[in-house]
Structures are given as C-alpha cells and as structure tokens.
Amino acid sequence: MQGSTTHRDIRSLSVDELTELVRTLGQPAFRAKQVFEWIHQKQVTSFDDMTNLPKQLRLQLSETYTFHVPTELASQVSRDGSRKYLLEFADGVSVETVGMPSRKKLAVCISTQAGCAMGCAFCATGMHGLTRSLTAQEMLDQVLHVAHDFNERVTSVVFMGQGEPFANYTETMAALRKLNDPDGLAIGARHLTVSTCGIIPGIRRFSQIPEQFTLAVSLHSAIQTTRNQLMPGVKKFTLLRLHEALQEYTEKTGRRPSYEYAMIDGVNDTNAELDALVDFCQGTLCHVNLIQLNNVADSPLKPSAPERVESFQKRLQMHGVETTIRASRGNDIDAACGQLKQRFRVLKDPVKGSNEEL
Ligand code: SAH
Ligand code: SF4
C-alpha cells in the first residue's frame, strides 16, 4: 500500500470530483479524463503508472490521495496451479482470494465479506462469524491482484470465497457491474457467478436486473430438517419459498441457476435425500453441481464415498436433471470451496453485524 491510510482513495472520486480536483491544481480539464481512464479503464494502482501526466501533477495527487490496494500477507501455490492469497485491506481486515488457471483461462474466486454470519455447519468461513462486509472496490481489487500476479487476463469471476454476497447486495452488484463494464475488465456477464446460500430477497432482486449474471444457490439438502441443521442461518427462507423464488427467477430471466450440493456422508447422501433432491429439481430449469465435501478441520462431517456421488448423478440424470460432479481445485492448499478462512492471522477488531438487513 502507498501513502497513509488516512488519505482518501483516488478511485472513489467521481468524474465531477476529479474535474474539480484538477481545476484547483491549475491543470487543464482533459487531465481529469486522463486520470479517470488510468483508474477505471487501465486499472492502474499507482500514480507513477499514469505516464502521460506531468510529474508535478502525479506528485501533487500522491500528496493528498492514495490507492488503498490490498497487501498480500501470504500466498500458496497448489499442485494444480491454483494460487491462494491472503489479502489485507487498509483497516487490517484480511480475506482470501483464489486464482485458478486452465489453458488460456483464468478464473478468480473472490470474497464478498470477511467471515460470514450464516454459520453453515460444513463451512470453515462460517465458523468464526462475520467481521465486516467488503466494498465493491475491495472485491475488484482481489481480481486485479490475481490478474497482476498471473500477468494474465481474468476470464471469469466466481463470488464464492468468504461471505454471503446477498448479505452485502449493493456492493456485490456494484462489483459485478464494474467487472462487466466494457471500459473496465470487460468480463462477460455469463462469466460472472454469484453464489448465495439462498437469501430470498436477494434472489428476487437479482431476478429483476437486466444483466445476464449467473446465479448459483447452495442447496446441500432438499429436506427442511437436514437443511436447517446444515445451514441454520437461512432457516427462515424455507425450501418451499426458495423453490418458488427460483421458479420466478427462471421465468423472469430464462436463465438456468446451478445448485451446489456438497455431499456429506450419512447426512445428505441417503436415499430419502436423493428422492427429495430429485423432487426439488425435476421439471425445473437448473443444473446440479455435486461436490464432494471438502474436509474442514475440527468438523465431524465427512465426505461421501465417490461411488455415492456418482450414483446421485446417475439418478438425477435419469430424471432429466443435468448434473455434474465438480472437481475441487486447490484442495491441497485449503483453497477449495468452504475451506477459506484466516489461517495465517487473527483479525483485528471484529465488528459484528455489518450484514445488510435480510
Ligand atoms: N456464501 C455463499 C458463497 C460462498 S460459499 C454460499 O454459501 O453460496 C461457496 C460455496 O462453497 C458454496 O456452495 C458453499 O456451500 C460451498 N462450501 C462451503 N463449505 C464447503 C465444504 N466444506 N465443502 C464443499 N463445499 C463447501
Ligand atoms: Fe457463509 Fe456460504 Fe460458508 Fe454458509 S457456505 S457459512 S453462507 S460462506
């Protein structure tokens, strides 16, 4: 990070504010446009990178403004080439981000909150509660960090790291739009995926927007009692209501949501669970992702046997429900789904309750 953290981030200035700023510095108006382009189109993170600005102006700007780019506290590389980063923001709060390369593609998994208030039983993030929600800029900064580290164009982003995106709806939407912006990173809307644990007001709002962003829903059980145990934070959004909201979503958007289902031995992989899952999905527009549960330290929950996962897939497909078994990336570095948590460092000053009203 450059400069003092008390300085305002230059990237938070609107075009009008930038115009006013260059005017007060006695510079011609076109300088504002240049600064704006460096920040929002070329996504630079230092004044020195703004090479067409006079040195004096760069110096003046850096005296009052800064770039609050996150600091990389640690990183790990997986055997499969994935890289996990622990990134710290200006206030000392840190989150994890993962970059997943494959052939000519680079997918990034970002966090939307530091921690999570939902408390899902199988998820490492949920075990320590919520520290705070992230800003859109902090989400974007995670993507930029990975792009710079790999020195490659990011082709897709999944909002599947720490946190619940729909508990931080406004900032999540702003981040999606920035990533999609043709003058910014220009990542296609279909390559931007938001994963929610099933917050219905969020799904409803998401149904109304014009962009074709992709929706993933963490289902994990289609039996209410099991789901309540696994995902206590979304008890009030019952499966019945969730089903209705998803129907409405597919009718309004014509898009196909995917359902995440992490298979847990003896918990959600029984025949009764399979019947309920088939009922939930059959005849609806959806795609099921079966995930073998990733082990989480200190958790009694264990992954289902691979044969069980395959038999779930076969049965679902027999009923016309498109189903894939998702290979986990970065398993050896704890970067796979649900394994993201601050292993490296204890957080400073957790502030509870910065979820948007649900
Ligand atoms: N809060 C959002 C997005 C982050 S979690 C959500 O719950 O959807 C990202 C994905 O990882 C979700 O599908 C979540 O259910 C899954 N997940 C969490 N813990 C897991 C684990 N131990 N094994 C496999 N998947 C897990
Ligand atoms: Fe939060 Fe998602 Fe983890 Fe549940 S699975 S605790 S909603 S991050």
Side-chain angles (χ1 to χ4, degrees):
M1 197 193 318
Q2 300 159 11
S4 150
T5 55
T6 54
H7 287 175
R8 189 169 166 197
D9 192 320
I10 185 87
R11 297 171 303 176
S12 65
L13 271 65
S14 65
V15 188
D16 290 347
E17 286 173 313
L18 283 173
T19 309
E20 178 58 19
L21 174 65
V22 300
R23 200 187 57 77
T24 57
L25 294 172
Q27 292 280 339
F30 71 88
R31 296 284 181 215
K33 191 163 171 273
Q34 287 178 319
V35 175
F36 189 83
E37 282 173 2
W38 282 115
I39 295 172
H40 297 284
Q41 295 179 12
K42 300 182 184 122
Q43 313 274 358
V44 297
T45 50
S46 88
F47 292 106
D48 284 341
D49 290 335
M50 302 184 177
T51 47
N52 60 0
L53 299 189
K55 267 224 169 77
Q56 177 63 18
L57 176 57
R58 282 187 247 162
L59 189 69
Q60 284 172 317
L61 290 173
S62 67
E63 280 164 0
T64 333
Y65 294 92
T66 186
F67 286 88
H68 289 306
V69 291
T71 311
E72 185 179 301
L73 294 182
S75 71
Q76 278 178 287
V77 180
S78 159
R79 276 192 297 274
D80 65 18
S82 303
R83 296 181 200 168
K84 179 178 77 165
Y85 310 85
L86 181 65
L87 302 178
E88 185 188 52
F89 300 114
D91 64 351
V93 163
S94 56
V95 298
E96 292 186 12
T97 306
V98 186
M100 296 165 286
S102 60
R103 283 186 223 108
K104 291 231 164 288
K105 294 192 176 142
L106 177 58
V108 179
C109 175
I110 63 166
S111 297
T112 55
Q113 299 185 305
C116 184
M118 300 322 227
C120 299
F122 48 82
C123 174
T125 304
M127 286 175 185
H128 303 282
L130 174 70
T131 300
R132 72 165 169 87
S133 287
L134 304 188
T135 63
Q137 185 66 56
E138 287 169 334
M139 296 179 212
L140 189 65
D141 280 344
Q142 295 173 60
V143 178
L144 293 176
H145 188 91
V146 179
H148 288 150
D149 194 49
F150 277 86
N151 196 21
E152 266 180 51
R153 195 184 116 74
V154 171
T155 49
S156 65
V157 178
V158 292
F159 290 54
M160 284 193 187
Q162 293 171 331
E164 168 48 45
F166 286 171
N168 185 19
Y169 188 92
T170 312
E171 294 299 312
T172 295
M173 287 315 299
L176 282 164
R177 291 190 166 125
K178 278 185 182 199
L179 292 167
N180 183 225
D181 188 344
D183 290 330
L185 292 186
I187 302 170
R190 287 160 198 263
H191 301 290
L192 297 170
T193 303
V194 179
S195 178
T196 177
C197 58
I199 292 178
I200 291 173
I203 297 173
R204 291 241 154 85
R205 285 168 83 182
F206 204 67
S207 309
Q208 316 286 342
I209 59 170
E211 294 93 343
Q212 308 249 306
F213 301 130
T214 302
L215 178 68
V217 176
S218 295
L219 190 59
H220 304 307
S221 174
I223 294 182
Q224 194 66 55
T225 47
T226 314
R227 197 165 192 267
N228 289 352
Q229 276 165 5
L230 291 176
M231 307 178 72
V234 281
K235 248 189 211 164
K236 70 172 179 184
F237 304 121
T238 60
L239 283 162
L240 197 67
R241 290 178 58 205
L242 181 62
H243 195 266
E244 273 168 22
L246 289 166
Q247 283 298 106
E248 215 177 288
Y249 169 84
T250 54
E251 278 160 25
K252 279 221 173 80
T253 65
R255 283 177 278 147
R256 186 177 63 163
S258 54
Y259 301 156
E260 313 292 300
Y261 199 100
M263 295 199 48
I264 311 172
D265 187 36
V267 176
N268 65 359
D269 67 351
T270 62
N271 288 336
E273 291 282 344
L274 180 53
D275 289 342
L277 180 59
V278 168
D279 278 352
F280 192 89
C281 300
Q282 207 173 12
T284 69
L285 199 58
C286 71
H287 181 111
V288 175
N289 274 323
L290 298 174
I291 313 155
Q292 222 180 346
L293 182 80
N294 295 311
N295 273 312
V296 174
D298 308 325
S299 165
L301 304 175
K302 296 289 163 233
S304 305
E307 307 80 64
R308 193 67 193 140
V309 182
E310 277 160 32
S311 68
F312 257 54
Q313 183 188 30
K314 279 208 190 91
R315 240 311 270 301
L316 284 159
Q317 283 176 337
M318 226 166 65
H319 288 275
V321 180
E322 219 177 292
T323 306
T324 43
I325 298 176
R326 201 166 69 195
S328 225
R329 307 255 344 234
N331 221 338
D332 54 321
I333 54 166
D334 277 3
C337 296
Q339 295 187 307
L340 296 177
K341 72 168 176 183
Q342 288 86 352
R343 266 280 177 76
F344 310 92
R345 197 160 181 273
V346 177
L347 286 165
K348 294 180 202 161
D349 309 327
V351 271
K352 302 282 172 190
S354 54
N355 264 355
E356 277 178 26
E357 201 165 315
L358 304 177

